[in-house]
């Protein structure tokens, strides 16, 4: 837990227990009760439904930290979790700290906001909300909280943004290793001699090693949205090529017959193995309507992750196939 968030949560939990005897009761009553959702409130099975081990570890660590905070303060864990949920969804701040700002915390997030906050200055010790365009009655007052991908928005503020332009997929190295090992057991990679298989496995483990301090949520970047397109971790793309290699002396996938399609298939298979369900299965779950708020958010998060991956695969396939066609044309011309 961030110490500033923890301090706010303890203070808010205390004021909530005082009820109308609190000097802040008008604000506390306006804030109301939190929604029983991530990042602080979840049920058994919700973490697995995320299909993101780094994010699940992060939420589990938050839950354990709230337990420790309850022990230190003598407060009920449930009261602290409720207060922290409100803090995570409403607080904001700048260099001087974190704040719960009455009325200001009613503004929702948007990557394309209608307003911007001006921080306090030496001459003006108050926050000021300034419109970025002419506003009409019923227009929403929004500001940009940050430029975070969905996994960070969910873990810090408890919501996601559909089609988030900053979304990216993060994975544990161990999960990436398992995906590559499964792909290397198929196709050309399976035909390798035992000594080459052993060397290949060692290379994958060396390049995708677990960090020295493998804490909760520690992960590595796989692929994400970047500008109008997507960006891959080049290490992952290289290791997908290694997974289908059959020996030191064999032709590179880009030069052998059918190698380009085999390589693209390996990238696709290895990447999709990180997820337990397909996008189609997730869409059917949403349509069923039989989901808790957290489970719905899990499915929506998964769908956004899979949209990023599918866009990245499609874009990369187009680039590689175009490069292969260009190389063939040059070879034929010579």
């Amino acid at each position: 837990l961030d110490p500033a968030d923890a301090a706010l949560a303890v203070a808010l939990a205390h004021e909530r227990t005082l009820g109308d005897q609190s000097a802040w009761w008008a604000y506390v009553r306006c804030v109301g009760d939190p929604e029983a959702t991530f990042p602080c409130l979840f049920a058994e099975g919700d973490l697995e439904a995320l299909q993101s081990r780094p994010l699940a570890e992060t939420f589990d660590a938050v839950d354990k930290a709230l337990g420790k905070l309850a022990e230190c303060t003598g407060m009920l864990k449930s009261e602290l979790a409720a207060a922290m949920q409100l803090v995570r969804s409403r607080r904001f701040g700048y260099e001087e700290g974190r704040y719960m700002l009455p009325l200001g915390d009613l503004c929702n997030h948007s990557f394309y906001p209608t307003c911007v906050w001006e921080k306090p200055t030496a001459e003006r010790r108050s926050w000021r909300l300034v419109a970025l365009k002419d506003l009409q009655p019923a227009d929403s007052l929004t500001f940009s909280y940050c430029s975070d991908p969905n996994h960070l928005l969910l873990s810090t503020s408890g919501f996601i943004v559909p089609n988030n332009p900053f979304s990216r997929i993060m994975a544990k190295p161990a999960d990436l290793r398992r995906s590559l090992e499964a792909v290397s057991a198929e196709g050309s990679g399976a035909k390798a001699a035992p000594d080459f298989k052993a060397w290949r496995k060692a290379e994958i483990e060396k390049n995708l090693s677990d960090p020295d301090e493998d804490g909760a949520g520690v992960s590595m970047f796989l692929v994400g949205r970047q500008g109008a397109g997507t960006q891959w971790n080049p290490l992952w793309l290289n290791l997908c090529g290694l997974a289908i290699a059959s020996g030191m002396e064999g032709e590179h996938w880009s030069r052998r017959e059918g190698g380009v399609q085999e390589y693209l298939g390996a990238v696709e298979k290895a990447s999709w193995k990180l997820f337990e369900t397909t996008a189609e299965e997730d869409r059917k779950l949403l349509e069923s309507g039989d989901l808790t708020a957290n489970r719905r958010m899990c499915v929506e998060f998964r769908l956004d992750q899979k949209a990023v991956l599918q866009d990245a695969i499609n874009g990369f396939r187009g680039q590689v196939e175009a490069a292969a066609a260009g190389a063939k044309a040059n070879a034929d011309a010579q």
Side-chain angles (χ1 to χ4, degrees):
L1 297 177
D2 183 283
D5 281 353
L8 268 179
V10 170
L12 181 58
H14 174 68
E15 297 300 329
R16 281 165 58 86
T17 61
L18 295 178
D20 59 8
Q21 298 303 305
S22 167
W24 289 90
W25 178 237
Y27 175 63
V28 171
R29 183 176 57 183
C30 176
V31 168
D33 293 320
E35 294 186 16
T37 58
F38 296 120
C40 301
L41 304 172
F42 48 86
E44 185 177 354
D46 287 347
L47 299 187
E48 291 78 7
L50 288 164
Q51 294 184 16
S52 169
R53 198 150 66 94
L55 193 51
E57 289 179 356
T58 298
F59 288 137
D60 184 58
V62 168
D63 184 66
K64 288 182 171 62
L66 286 170
K68 292 290 185 182
L69 188 61
E71 292 177 9
C72 294
T73 60
M75 293 181 170
L76 294 176
K77 180 183 175 183
S78 58
E79 293 175 350
L80 286 170
M84 182 63 78
Q85 182 79 357
L86 291 168
V87 167
R88 288 285 186 95
S89 63
R90 289 177 173 270
R91 58 87 172 92
F92 70 101
Y94 67 127
E95 295 84 358
E96 294 187 14
R98 301 282 176 84
Y99 305 91
M100 299 280 282
L101 187 63
L103 299 183
D105 60 6
L106 298 179
C107 295
N108 286 330
H109 165 75
S110 174
F111 290 125
Y112 314 100
T114 59
C115 304
V116 64
W117 281 103
E118 290 185 352
K119 297 185 294 187
T121 64
E123 295 74 28
R124 173 179 51 79
R125 299 303 298 169
S126 62
W127 289 81
R128 184 162 62 182
L129 187 65
V130 180
L132 294 173
K133 65 176 185 177
D134 291 336
L135 296 172
Q136 303 302 317
D139 282 352
S140 296
L141 301 183
T142 61
F143 71 99
S144 177
Y145 295 2
C146 56
S147 297
D148 282 348
N150 274 342
H151 72 280
L152 291 182
L153 285 177
L154 189 55
S155 65
T156 58
S157 300
F159 67 89
I160 64 171
V161 175
N163 302 312
N164 185 329
F166 304 103
S167 278
R168 58 180 183 259
I169 298 174
M170 306 296 292
K172 303 289 286 187
D175 294 334
L176 296 175
R177 292 197 302 269
R178 280 192 289 270
S179 293
L180 288 175
E181 288 167 6
V183 168
S184 66
E186 307 169 358
S188 298
K191 301 174 184 177
D195 58 341
F196 182 79
K197 286 181 179 179
W199 175 84
R200 182 177 61 198
K201 182 178 181 181
E203 282 297 299
I204 290 174
E205 290 176 348
K206 181 175 71 175
N207 283 278
L208 295 176
S209 60
D210 296 319
D212 293 335
E213 296 184 9
D214 191 15
V218 173
S219 56
M220 64 181 290
F221 170 78
L222 179 69
V223 65
R225 293 192 176 112
Q226 179 75 25
T230 53
Q231 180 180 4
W232 286 92
N233 183 334
L235 174 62
W236 176 247
L237 298 179
N238 289 337
L239 291 176
C240 285
L242 177 60
I244 61 171
S246 57
M248 294 289 192
E249 306 301 325
E251 277 191 309
H252 189 264
W253 59 261
S254 62
R255 293 190 292 272
R256 69 171 182 259
E257 185 70 25
V260 169
Q261 294 306 316
E262 183 182 7
Y263 169 67
L264 291 172
V267 172
E268 187 167 357
K269 288 177 184 177
S271 301
W272 279 112
K273 284 183 182 295
L274 293 173
F275 298 104
E276 298 166 15
T277 57
T278 66
E280 183 59 30
E281 289 170 334
D282 289 344
R283 282 189 284 269
K284 288 181 179 179
L285 268 178
L286 281 184
E287 292 169 2
S288 72
D290 187 25
L291 296 170
T292 64
N294 261 352
R295 290 302 176 93
R296 174 168 288 275
M297 197 176 300
C298 286
V299 177
E300 290 172 345
F301 172 74
R302 281 156 28 191
L303 278 171
D304 182 72
Q305 295 272 283
K306 291 166 187 176
V308 171
L309 181 55
Q310 190 61 67
D311 288 348
I313 288 171
N314 292 343
F316 186 60
R317 178 176 289 277
Q319 293 172 8
V320 172
E321 288 179 343
K328 185 177 185 305
N330 288 337
D332 291 344
Q334 295 175 1

